[in-house]
């Protein structure tokens, strides 16, 4: 079997460029929630030394001097562009596993023309249809495909595609890949391996199998085997249901009142409940947390969290909001300037086949109400219908002072072309 790992290049920055040709060769960075830190950079921004996770205020002057285009995160646009990229690539391969918002594994067995021409065709089609550049690595295992993809990105002469060769040529390429860059190893294991003189993927392959299993457990052994060409990780054609769902945001300004915290929490619970219903699950407990801004010196600090069992488990937004608000009232303390709040739904189980309660009748009316709510919001846009507990003014909403238009999902923000 041949696996291909397709990865969008500098995805968030590429989404911004797709609708603004003036950004083609200009450095681009995208900021996190509330315009706090850098979370995406074009290659030109990387070349300027702007680091991932760098606070915006620290690189503000440098960005201004270099003419860097700075954007607030636009997750609505990025999510829709991701769906377009995946739909385009998925139509060209027999099977596909969407791995993340900007990555997918494709199966390339038995396709006409051979793997490299076909991978280049996919790359060109995605660029033509969506405007997003991608790199593709092809190999006999997922881990090797990841390695090939990374090598293709680093070497411009490969023009975005690398079909990993066999024999000595493969060994030479893996000797160029840092051990921390191997999928499944990461920084923590990488530091330990470097202490033993293991610096590259090829060095890691030379370790004894039993040593890897003993020191890095089964996950490390699977990585070692996959680097040797033995597949251990099949394509996951259906995403696994999440075992917990978290929804949280930092506020655009400090929040001091319980009322505003309730509204924000209601909004976050609504988002989490949508995701819960989308995977046809219910939650058996809810955890609520709040915290102040620990980066402000001399200001009183407070953080707290508390959970509440849900009996019976539920996916109904009104009930989740009511339970979450009750937890919030228990942990709220007046006199603090809260920076962040959030919710985590736990004990997730399938909605179908769940054990019924002897004390509570099934809430069939509530189920129909939630289904209608989701249908309306899916057709007419998020928050067309929402719970009054989420508030109307939402003064706590996060800052997005530099957000680009949501070109593909909001009628009022569609791009305009003039001939």
């Amino acid at each position: 079997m041949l696996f291909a790992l397709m990865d969008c290049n500098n995805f968030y920055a590429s989404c911004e460029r797709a609708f603004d040709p003036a950004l083609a060769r200009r450095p681009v960075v995208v900021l996190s929630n509330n315009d706090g830190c850098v979370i995406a950079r074009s290659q030109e921004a990387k070349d300027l030394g702007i680091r991932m996770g760098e606070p915006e205020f620290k690189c503000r002057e440098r960005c201004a001097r270099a003419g860097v285009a700075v954007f607030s995160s636009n997750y609505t646009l990025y999510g829709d562009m991701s769906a377009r990229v995946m739909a385009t690539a998925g139509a060209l391969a027999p099977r596909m596993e969407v791995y993340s918002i900007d990555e997918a594994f494709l199966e390339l067995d038995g396709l006409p023309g051979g793997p490299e021409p076909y991978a280049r065709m996919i790359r060109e089609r995605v660029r033509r249809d969506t405007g997003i550049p991608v790199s593709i690595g092809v190999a006999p295992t997922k881990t090797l495909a990841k390695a090939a993809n990374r090598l293709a990105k680093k070497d411009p002469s490969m023009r975005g595609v690398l079909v990993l060769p066999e024999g000595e040529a493969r060994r030479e390429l893996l000797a160029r890949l840092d051990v921390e860059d191997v999928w499944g190893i990461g920084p923590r294991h990488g530091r330990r391996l470097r202490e033993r003189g293991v610096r590259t993927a090829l060095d890691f392959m030379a370790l004894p199998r039993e040593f890897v299993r003993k020191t890095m457990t089964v996950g490390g052994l699977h990585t070692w085997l996959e680097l040797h060409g033995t597949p251990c990780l099949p394509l996951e054609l259906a995403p696994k249901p999440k075992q917990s769902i978290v929804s949280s945001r930092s506020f655009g300004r400090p929040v001091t009142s319980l009322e505003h915290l309730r509204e924000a929490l209601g909004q976050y619970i609504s988002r989490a409940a949508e995701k819960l219903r989308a995977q046809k699950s219910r939650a058996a407990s809810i955890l609520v947390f709040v915290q102040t801004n620990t980066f402000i010196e001399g200001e009183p600090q407070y953080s707290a969290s508390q959970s509440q069992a849900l009996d019976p488990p539920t996916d109904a937004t009104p009930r989740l909001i009511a339970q979450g608000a009750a937890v919030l009232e228990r942990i709220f303390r007046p006199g603090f300037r809260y920076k962040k709040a959030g919710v985590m739904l736990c004990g997730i189980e399938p909605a179908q086949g769940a054990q019924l309660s002897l004390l509570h009748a099934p809430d069939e009316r509530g189920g129909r109400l939630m289904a209608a709510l989701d249908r309306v919001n899916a057709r007419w846009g998020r928050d067309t219908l929402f719970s009054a507990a989420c508030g109307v003014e939402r003064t706590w909403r996060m800052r997005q002072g530099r957000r680009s238009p949501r070109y593909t999902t909001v009628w009022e923000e569609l791009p305009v072309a003039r001939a």
Side-chain angles (χ1 to χ4, degrees):
M1 177 176 288
L2 279 180
F3 295 90
L5 188 276
M6 180 189 70
D7 184 12
C8 301
N9 299 342
N10 310 314
F11 179 55
Y12 291 175
S14 295
C15 289
E16 301 294 350
R17 282 177 160 172
F19 293 93
D20 189 349
L23 299 175
R25 300 187 182 278
R26 186 178 172 188
V28 175
V29 302
V30 178
L31 303 177
S32 62
N33 293 337
N34 291 306
D35 298 343
C37 301
V38 174
I39 59 170
R41 308 159 293 164
S42 68
Q43 186 58 51
E44 295 82 357
K46 296 175 185 178
D47 294 341
L48 290 172
I50 298 172
R51 294 175 288 108
M52 184 70 82
E54 185 172 357
E56 185 272 338
F57 72 88
K58 286 189 175 182
C59 62
R60 186 179 300 160
E61 291 186 6
R62 199 179 345 147
C63 289
R65 287 196 305 269
V68 177
V70 181
F71 292 93
S72 302
S73 48
N74 188 347
Y75 296 119
T76 302
L77 174 65
Y78 308 152
D80 186 68
M81 292 299 289
S82 172
R84 293 171 184 234
V85 168
M86 300 308 169
T88 301
L92 300 172
R95 298 196 301 167
M96 179 178 75
E97 172 193 343
V98 178
Y99 181 66
S100 68
I101 191 172
D102 63 346
E103 290 179 289
F105 287 103
L106 309 170
E107 181 185 298
L108 294 189
D109 274 347
L111 295 174
E116 181 170 349
Y118 203 87
R120 292 198 181 280
M121 182 273 291
I122 292 175
R123 183 173 186 266
E124 292 305 316
R125 185 74 63 82
V126 170
R127 182 64 183 261
R128 186 195 72 184
D129 291 359
T130 69
I132 303 298
V134 301
S135 297
I136 300 178
V138 183
T141 71
K142 279 185 168 183
T143 303
L144 285 173
K146 272 267 196 180
N149 181 281
R150 194 168 189 92
L151 291 165
K153 280 188 170 183
K154 286 185 174 183
D155 190 343
S157 68
M158 296 180 182
R159 296 181 294 118
V161 173
L162 171 60
V163 178
L164 202 64
E166 297 182 357
E168 189 60 31
R170 179 184 296 182
R171 292 172 59 83
E172 290 176 2
L173 286 169
L174 293 177
R176 292 161 47 185
L177 187 67
D178 290 340
V179 69
E180 296 90 348
D181 291 338
V182 175
W183 189 39
I185 292 182
R188 184 171 63 87
H189 281 307
R191 285 192 298 270
R192 294 178 179 176
L193 290 168
R194 281 189 177 270
E195 291 172 357
R196 293 185 56 89
V198 177
R199 301 182 179 279
T200 69
L202 188 63
D203 294 338
F204 178 70
M205 293 170 62
L207 291 174
R209 172 174 176 157
E210 284 307 309
F211 170 82
V212 174
R213 186 193 63 78
K214 183 177 180 181
T215 58
M216 298 178 64
T217 68
V218 175
L221 179 59
H222 284 171
T223 299
W224 186 89
L225 289 169
E226 288 237 331
L227 285 174
H228 281 85
T230 302
C232 300
L233 305 171
L235 280 182
E236 301 286 348
L237 300 182
K240 295 180 180 179
K242 296 181 179 179
Q243 299 304 304
S244 62
I245 296 175
V246 178
S247 179
S248 68
R249 290 285 186 277
S250 295
F251 303 133
R253 62 176 181 82
V255 172
T256 57
S257 73
L258 177 60
E259 177 186 357
H260 287 160
L261 275 177
R262 269 201 216 98
E263 290 181 358
L265 187 67
Q267 179 81 358
Y268 305 153
I269 290 174
S270 297
R271 294 287 175 265
E274 287 175 9
K275 296 177 182 178
L276 190 67
R277 292 191 293 271
Q279 70 174 36
K280 295 179 171 53
S281 300
R282 295 175 180 172
S285 69
I286 182 171
L287 180 143
V288 174
F289 61 89
V290 294
Q291 66 183 60
T292 54
N293 192 342
T294 56
F295 294 103
I296 300 180
E297 297 182 0
E299 190 169 285
Q301 301 295 331
Y302 173 70
S303 64
S305 64
Q306 194 174 115
S307 60
Q308 169 72 49
L310 303 171
D311 186 23
T314 185
D315 62 3
T317 298
R319 185 169 168 226
L320 289 167
I321 289 178
Q323 295 290 336
V327 175
L328 177 65
E329 291 183 12
R330 294 200 294 268
I331 63 176
F332 174 78
R333 297 291 181 270
F336 292 98
R337 288 158 52 87
Y338 293 94
K339 178 62 176 176
K340 187 175 185 178
V343 60
M344 179 165 65
L345 303 181
C346 310
I348 292 178
E349 60 184 43
Q352 298 296 326
Q355 184 173 354
L356 298 178
S357 171
L358 293 173
L359 304 176
H360 304 89
D363 185 11
E364 295 181 1
R365 182 174 179 273
R368 292 195 297 270
L369 176 62
M370 291 299 98
L373 175 77
D374 292 339
R375 285 197 300 270
V376 169
N377 286 335
R379 180 170 182 179
W380 300 107
R382 176 173 285 176
D383 285 344
T384 301
L385 293 179
F386 61 89
S387 171
C390 299
V392 177
E393 294 184 0
R394 302 182 185 178
T395 57
W396 40 266
R397 192 189 298 270
M398 67 180 181
R399 294 193 306 271
Q400 289 183 305
R402 301 172 179 177
R403 179 180 63 77
S404 57
R406 293 161 291 186
Y407 296 104
T408 60
T409 55
V410 178
W411 282 108
E412 293 78 10
E413 299 177 19
L414 289 177
V416 176
R418 294 182 174 86

mmCIF file of all heavy atoms in Angstrom, residues 343-379:
data_model
loop_
_atom_site.group_PDB
_atom_site.id
_atom_site.type_symbol
_atom_site.label_atom_id
_atom_site.label_comp_id
_atom_site.label_asym_id
_atom_site.label_seq_id
_atom_site.Cartn_x
_atom_site.Cartn_y
_atom_site.Cartn_z
ATOM 1 N N VAL A 343 -15.719 25.453 29.253
ATOM 2 C CA VAL A 343 -16.479 24.282 29.664
ATOM 3 C C VAL A 343 -15.866 23.048 29.013
ATOM 4 O O VAL A 343 -15.327 23.120 27.903
ATOM 5 C CB VAL A 343 -17.964 24.424 29.251
ATOM 6 C CG1 VAL A 343 -18.090 24.581 27.745
ATOM 7 C CG2 VAL A 343 -18.786 23.245 29.717
ATOM 8 N N MET A 344 -15.933 21.919 29.720
ATOM 9 C CA MET A 344 -15.530 20.642 29.143
ATOM 10 C C MET A 344 -16.636 19.631 29.413
ATOM 11 O O MET A 344 -17.048 19.439 30.566
ATOM 12 C CB MET A 344 -14.214 20.149 29.751
ATOM 13 C CG MET A 344 -13.778 18.803 29.172
ATOM 14 S SD MET A 344 -12.049 18.376 29.524
ATOM 15 C CE MET A 344 -12.098 18.210 31.307
ATOM 16 N N LEU A 345 -17.120 19.010 28.345
ATOM 17 C CA LEU A 345 -18.113 17.952 28.461
ATOM 18 C C LEU A 345 -17.377 16.613 28.511
ATOM 19 O O LEU A 345 -16.559 16.315 27.638
ATOM 20 C CB LEU A 345 -19.077 17.985 27.275
ATOM 21 C CG LEU A 345 -19.831 19.297 27.064
ATOM 22 C CD1 LEU A 345 -20.772 19.182 25.868
ATOM 23 C CD2 LEU A 345 -20.596 19.699 28.315
ATOM 24 N N CYS A 346 -17.669 15.824 29.537
ATOM 25 C CA CYS A 346 -16.940 14.573 29.768
ATOM 26 C C CYS A 346 -17.927 13.403 29.848
ATOM 27 O O CYS A 346 -19.142 13.583 29.796
ATOM 28 C CB CYS A 346 -16.135 14.651 31.066
ATOM 29 S SG CYS A 346 -15.118 16.119 31.229
ATOM 30 N N GLY A 347 -17.360 12.211 30.023
ATOM 31 C CA GLY A 347 -18.186 11.016 30.109
ATOM 32 C C GLY A 347 -19.048 10.843 28.871
ATOM 33 O O GLY A 347 -20.230 10.489 28.961
ATOM 34 N N ILE A 348 -18.458 11.078 27.699
ATOM 35 C CA ILE A 348 -19.239 11.067 26.456
ATOM 36 C C ILE A 348 -19.524 9.632 26.028
ATOM 37 O O ILE A 348 -18.639 8.780 26.031
ATOM 38 C CB ILE A 348 -18.488 11.838 25.364
ATOM 39 C CG1 ILE A 348 -18.455 13.319 25.737
ATOM 40 C CG2 ILE A 348 -19.134 11.647 24.011
ATOM 41 C CD1 ILE A 348 -17.698 14.195 24.766
ATOM 42 N N GLU A 349 -20.773 9.396 25.670
ATOM 43 C CA GLU A 349 -21.214 8.064 25.246
ATOM 44 C C GLU A 349 -22.144 8.201 24.050
ATOM 45 O O GLU A 349 -22.718 9.270 23.819
ATOM 46 C CB GLU A 349 -21.952 7.370 26.388
ATOM 47 C CG GLU A 349 -23.183 8.126 26.865
ATOM 48 C CD GLU A 349 -23.851 7.477 28.068
ATOM 49 O OE1 GLU A 349 -23.120 7.057 28.993
ATOM 50 O OE2 GLU A 349 -25.101 7.395 28.081
ATOM 51 N N PRO A 350 -22.290 7.160 23.233
ATOM 52 C CA PRO A 350 -23.184 7.246 22.071
ATOM 53 C C PRO A 350 -24.629 7.510 22.488
ATOM 54 O O PRO A 350 -25.105 6.956 23.487
ATOM 55 C CB PRO A 350 -23.041 5.873 21.412
ATOM 56 C CG PRO A 350 -21.757 5.311 21.941
ATOM 57 C CD PRO A 350 -21.594 5.861 23.308
ATOM 58 N N ALA A 351 -25.300 8.363 21.721
ATOM 59 C CA ALA A 351 -26.702 8.647 22.029
ATOM 60 C C ALA A 351 -27.572 7.416 21.765
ATOM 61 O O ALA A 351 -28.514 7.136 22.504
ATOM 62 C CB ALA A 351 -27.190 9.834 21.204
ATOM 63 N N GLN A 352 -27.248 6.664 20.700
ATOM 64 C CA GLN A 352 -27.992 5.445 20.401
ATOM 65 C C GLN A 352 -27.461 4.301 21.258
ATOM 66 O O GLN A 352 -26.261 4.112 21.376
ATOM 67 C CB GLN A 352 -27.850 5.092 18.924
ATOM 68 C CG GLN A 352 -28.420 6.149 17.991
ATOM 69 C CD GLN A 352 -29.916 6.318 18.159
ATOM 70 O OE1 GLN A 352 -30.636 5.360 18.427
ATOM 71 N NE2 GLN A 352 -30.381 7.551 18.016
ATOM 72 N N GLY A 353 -28.357 3.559 21.843
ATOM 73 C CA GLY A 353 -27.945 2.426 22.650
ATOM 74 C C GLY A 353 -27.597 2.778 24.072
ATOM 75 O O GLY A 353 -27.119 1.917 24.830
ATOM 76 N N ALA A 354 -27.778 4.041 24.477
ATOM 77 C CA ALA A 354 -27.483 4.424 25.855
ATOM 78 C C ALA A 354 -28.495 3.783 26.800
ATOM 79 O O ALA A 354 -29.663 3.579 26.458
ATOM 80 C CB ALA A 354 -27.523 5.940 25.999
ATOM 81 N N GLN A 355 -28.037 3.470 28.001
ATOM 82 C CA GLN A 355 -28.912 2.850 28.989
ATOM 83 C C GLN A 355 -29.954 3.851 29.468
ATOM 84 O O GLN A 355 -29.626 4.986 29.817
ATOM 85 C CB GLN A 355 -28.090 2.359 30.176
ATOM 86 C CG GLN A 355 -28.919 1.610 31.207
ATOM 87 C CD GLN A 355 -28.057 0.993 32.291
ATOM 88 O OE1 GLN A 355 -26.834 1.034 32.213
ATOM 89 N NE2 GLN A 355 -28.692 0.424 33.278
ATOM 90 N N LEU A 356 -31.204 3.450 29.461
ATOM 91 C CA LEU A 356 -32.284 4.341 29.882
ATOM 92 C C LEU A 356 -32.361 4.414 31.398
ATOM 93 O O LEU A 356 -31.971 3.495 32.112
ATOM 94 C CB LEU A 356 -33.626 3.846 29.320
ATOM 95 C CG LEU A 356 -33.731 3.805 27.791
ATOM 96 C CD1 LEU A 356 -35.092 3.249 27.380
ATOM 97 C CD2 LEU A 356 -33.509 5.183 27.192
ATOM 98 N N SER A 357 -32.876 5.549 31.890
ATOM 99 C CA SER A 357 -33.024 5.755 33.328
ATOM 100 C C SER A 357 -34.384 5.253 33.796
ATOM 101 O O SER A 357 -35.394 5.406 33.106
ATOM 102 C CB SER A 357 -32.879 7.241 33.644
ATOM 103 O OG SER A 357 -33.226 7.490 34.994
ATOM 104 N N LEU A 358 -34.403 4.655 34.984
ATOM 105 C CA LEU A 358 -35.661 4.224 35.580
ATOM 106 C C LEU A 358 -36.443 5.394 36.155
ATOM 107 O O LEU A 358 -37.652 5.294 36.376
ATOM 108 C CB LEU A 358 -35.390 3.200 36.686
ATOM 109 C CG LEU A 358 -34.819 1.852 36.233
ATOM 110 C CD1 LEU A 358 -34.451 1.011 37.458
ATOM 111 C CD2 LEU A 358 -35.825 1.114 35.363
ATOM 112 N N LEU A 359 -35.747 6.532 36.392
ATOM 113 C CA LEU A 359 -36.368 7.657 37.080
ATOM 114 C C LEU A 359 -36.752 8.798 36.152
ATOM 115 O O LEU A 359 -37.493 9.686 36.550
ATOM 116 C CB LEU A 359 -35.416 8.195 38.161
ATOM 117 C CG LEU A 359 -34.950 7.167 39.204
ATOM 118 C CD1 LEU A 359 -33.953 7.804 40.151
ATOM 119 C CD2 LEU A 359 -36.143 6.604 39.966
ATOM 120 N N HIS A 360 -36.219 8.798 34.914
ATOM 121 C CA HIS A 360 -36.489 9.901 34.001
ATOM 122 C C HIS A 360 -36.971 9.356 32.661
ATOM 123 O O HIS A 360 -36.347 8.478 32.091
ATOM 124 C CB HIS A 360 -35.235 10.749 33.776
ATOM 125 C CG HIS A 360 -34.633 11.290 35.039
ATOM 126 N ND1 HIS A 360 -33.680 10.601 35.768
ATOM 127 C CD2 HIS A 360 -34.864 12.446 35.706
ATOM 128 C CE1 HIS A 360 -33.327 11.305 36.817
ATOM 129 N NE2 HIS A 360 -34.028 12.437 36.802
ATOM 130 N N ALA A 361 -38.065 9.910 32.178
ATOM 131 C CA ALA A 361 -38.574 9.523 30.868
ATOM 132 C C ALA A 361 -37.710 10.156 29.778
ATOM 133 O O ALA A 361 -37.165 11.249 29.967
ATOM 134 C CB ALA A 361 -40.022 9.984 30.705
ATOM 135 N N PRO A 362 -37.549 9.493 28.631
ATOM 136 C CA PRO A 362 -36.768 10.081 27.529
ATOM 137 C C PRO A 362 -37.357 11.426 27.105
ATOM 138 O O PRO A 362 -38.578 11.583 26.996
ATOM 139 C CB PRO A 362 -36.896 9.046 26.414
ATOM 140 C CG PRO A 362 -37.215 7.763 27.114
ATOM 141 C CD PRO A 362 -38.036 8.143 28.309
ATOM 142 N N ASP A 363 -36.494 12.416 26.873
ATOM 143 C CA ASP A 363 -36.934 13.764 26.507
ATOM 144 C C ASP A 363 -37.066 13.854 24.987
ATOM 145 O O ASP A 363 -36.241 14.452 24.303
ATOM 146 C CB ASP A 363 -35.923 14.795 27.032
ATOM 147 C CG ASP A 363 -36.396 16.225 26.792
ATOM 148 O OD1 ASP A 363 -37.572 16.403 26.418
ATOM 149 O OD2 ASP A 363 -35.575 17.150 26.951
ATOM 150 N N GLU A 364 -38.130 13.266 24.456
ATOM 151 C CA GLU A 364 -38.311 13.239 23.000
ATOM 152 C C GLU A 364 -38.581 14.645 22.454
ATOM 153 O O GLU A 364 -38.086 15.007 21.384
ATOM 154 C CB GLU A 364 -39.452 12.290 22.643
ATOM 155 C CG GLU A 364 -39.148 10.836 23.001
ATOM 156 C CD GLU A 364 -40.281 9.912 22.620
ATOM 157 O OE1 GLU A 364 -41.291 10.422 22.063
ATOM 158 O OE2 GLU A 364 -40.170 8.700 22.858
ATOM 159 N N ARG A 365 -39.350 15.446 23.183
ATOM 160 C CA ARG A 365 -39.643 16.808 22.714
ATOM 161 C C ARG A 365 -38.369 17.638 22.661
ATOM 162 O O ARG A 365 -38.125 18.376 21.704
ATOM 163 C CB ARG A 365 -40.662 17.462 23.640
ATOM 164 C CG ARG A 365 -41.075 18.863 23.217
ATOM 165 C CD ARG A 365 -42.206 19.390 24.093
ATOM 166 N NE ARG A 365 -42.589 20.739 23.715
ATOM 167 C CZ ARG A 365 -42.009 21.832 24.195
ATOM 168 N NH1 ARG A 365 -41.016 21.724 25.081
ATOM 169 N NH2 ARG A 365 -42.423 23.036 23.817
ATOM 170 N N GLY A 366 -37.506 17.515 23.680
ATOM 171 C CA GLY A 366 -36.244 18.244 23.679
ATOM 172 C C GLY A 366 -35.343 17.811 22.547
ATOM 173 O O GLY A 366 -34.640 18.638 21.945
ATOM 174 N N GLY A 367 -35.367 16.515 22.218
ATOM 175 C CA GLY A 367 -34.561 16.026 21.110
ATOM 176 C C GLY A 367 -34.995 16.626 19.786
ATOM 177 O O GLY A 367 -34.163 17.011 18.958
ATOM 178 N N ARG A 368 -36.313 16.718 19.576
ATOM 179 C CA ARG A 368 -36.822 17.319 18.333
ATOM 180 C C ARG A 368 -36.477 18.807 18.269
ATOM 181 O O ARG A 368 -36.161 19.338 17.194
ATOM 182 C CB ARG A 368 -38.337 17.125 18.231
ATOM 183 C CG ARG A 368 -38.768 15.661 18.038
ATOM 184 C CD ARG A 368 -40.208 15.569 17.596
ATOM 185 N NE ARG A 368 -41.113 16.100 18.602
ATOM 186 C CZ ARG A 368 -41.656 15.389 19.586
ATOM 187 N NH1 ARG A 368 -41.366 14.096 19.693
ATOM 188 N NH2 ARG A 368 -42.485 15.928 20.456
ATOM 189 N N LEU A 369 -36.518 19.464 19.428
ATOM 190 C CA LEU A 369 -36.191 20.891 19.477
ATOM 191 C C LEU A 369 -34.730 21.118 19.090
ATOM 192 O O LEU A 369 -34.415 22.015 18.293
ATOM 193 C CB LEU A 369 -36.453 21.442 20.875
ATOM 194 C CG LEU A 369 -36.071 22.911 21.108
ATOM 195 C CD1 LEU A 369 -36.886 23.821 20.196
ATOM 196 C CD2 LEU A 369 -36.265 23.294 22.576
ATOM 197 N N MET A 370 -33.827 20.303 19.622
ATOM 198 C CA MET A 370 -32.409 20.457 19.312
ATOM 199 C C MET A 370 -32.133 20.144 17.839
ATOM 200 O O MET A 370 -31.316 20.799 17.195
ATOM 201 C CB MET A 370 -31.575 19.549 20.207
ATOM 202 C CG MET A 370 -31.544 19.954 21.684
ATOM 203 S SD MET A 370 -30.828 21.597 21.966
ATOM 204 C CE MET A 370 -32.315 22.612 22.088
ATOM 205 N N ALA A 371 -32.827 19.149 17.299
ATOM 206 C CA ALA A 371 -32.652 18.822 15.881
ATOM 207 C C ALA A 371 -33.098 19.991 15.003
ATOM 208 O O ALA A 371 -32.435 20.327 14.005
ATOM 209 C CB ALA A 371 -33.439 17.557 15.540
ATOM 210 N N ALA A 372 -34.219 20.622 15.358
ATOM 211 C CA ALA A 372 -34.702 21.775 14.596
ATOM 212 C C ALA A 372 -33.729 22.947 14.710
ATOM 213 O O ALA A 372 -33.437 23.630 13.719
ATOM 214 C CB ALA A 372 -36.083 22.183 15.102
ATOM 215 N N LEU A 373 -33.209 23.179 15.910
ATOM 216 C CA LEU A 373 -32.230 24.247 16.119
ATOM 217 C C LEU A 373 -31.011 24.055 15.227
ATOM 218 O O LEU A 373 -30.542 24.985 14.553
ATOM 219 C CB LEU A 373 -31.823 24.273 17.594
ATOM 220 C CG LEU A 373 -30.708 25.245 17.989
ATOM 221 C CD1 LEU A 373 -31.234 26.665 18.057
ATOM 222 C CD2 LEU A 373 -30.104 24.860 19.334
ATOM 223 N N ASP A 374 -30.476 22.827 15.212
ATOM 224 C CA ASP A 374 -29.281 22.553 14.407
ATOM 225 C C ASP A 374 -29.562 22.706 12.912
ATOM 226 O O ASP A 374 -28.711 23.197 12.164
ATOM 227 C CB ASP A 374 -28.765 21.144 14.711
ATOM 228 C CG ASP A 374 -28.202 21.025 16.123
ATOM 229 O OD1 ASP A 374 -27.842 22.065 16.702
ATOM 230 O OD2 ASP A 374 -28.132 19.890 16.639
ATOM 231 N N ARG A 375 -30.748 22.290 12.476
ATOM 232 C CA ARG A 375 -31.082 22.417 11.049
ATOM 233 C C ARG A 375 -31.161 23.887 10.636
ATOM 234 O O ARG A 375 -30.659 24.274 9.570
ATOM 235 C CB ARG A 375 -32.402 21.708 10.739
ATOM 236 C CG ARG A 375 -32.306 20.196 10.691
ATOM 237 C CD ARG A 375 -33.520 19.609 9.996
ATOM 238 N NE ARG A 375 -34.763 19.952 10.674
ATOM 239 C CZ ARG A 375 -35.314 19.230 11.645
ATOM 240 N NH1 ARG A 375 -34.727 18.113 12.060
ATOM 241 N NH2 ARG A 375 -36.454 19.611 12.199
ATOM 242 N N VAL A 376 -31.799 24.703 11.450
ATOM 243 C CA VAL A 376 -31.928 26.125 11.128
ATOM 244 C C VAL A 376 -30.556 26.793 11.067
ATOM 245 O O VAL A 376 -30.239 27.535 10.133
ATOM 246 C CB VAL A 376 -32.833 26.835 12.167
ATOM 247 C CG1 VAL A 376 -32.746 28.356 12.002
ATOM 248 C CG2 VAL A 376 -34.272 26.373 12.028
ATOM 249 N N ASN A 377 -29.715 26.538 12.069
ATOM 250 C CA ASN A 377 -28.395 27.177 12.098
ATOM 251 C C ASN A 377 -27.485 26.658 10.994
ATOM 252 O O ASN A 377 -26.638 27.393 10.487
ATOM 253 C CB ASN A 377 -27.738 26.963 13.463
ATOM 254 C CG ASN A 377 -28.377 27.825 14.537
ATOM 255 O OD1 ASN A 377 -28.942 28.868 14.243
ATOM 256 N ND2 ASN A 377 -28.298 27.394 15.783
ATOM 257 N N ALA A 378 -27.655 25.384 10.611
ATOM 258 C CA ALA A 378 -26.854 24.849 9.507
ATOM 259 C C ALA A 378 -27.243 25.500 8.183
ATOM 260 O O ALA A 378 -26.387 25.749 7.327
ATOM 261 C CB ALA A 378 -27.032 23.331 9.419
ATOM 262 N N ARG A 379 -28.527 25.802 8.027
ATOM 263 C CA ARG A 379 -28.982 26.370 6.762
ATOM 264 C C ARG A 379 -28.776 27.879 6.691
ATOM 265 O O ARG A 379 -28.346 28.409 5.654
ATOM 266 C CB ARG A 379 -30.460 26.056 6.553
ATOM 267 C CG ARG A 379 -31.004 26.614 5.255
ATOM 268 C CD ARG A 379 -32.380 26.104 4.929
ATOM 269 N NE ARG A 379 -32.845 26.623 3.637
ATOM 270 C CZ ARG A 379 -34.008 26.321 3.086
ATOM 271 N NH1 ARG A 379 -34.836 25.494 3.715
ATOM 272 N NH2 ARG A 379 -34.351 26.839 1.927
#
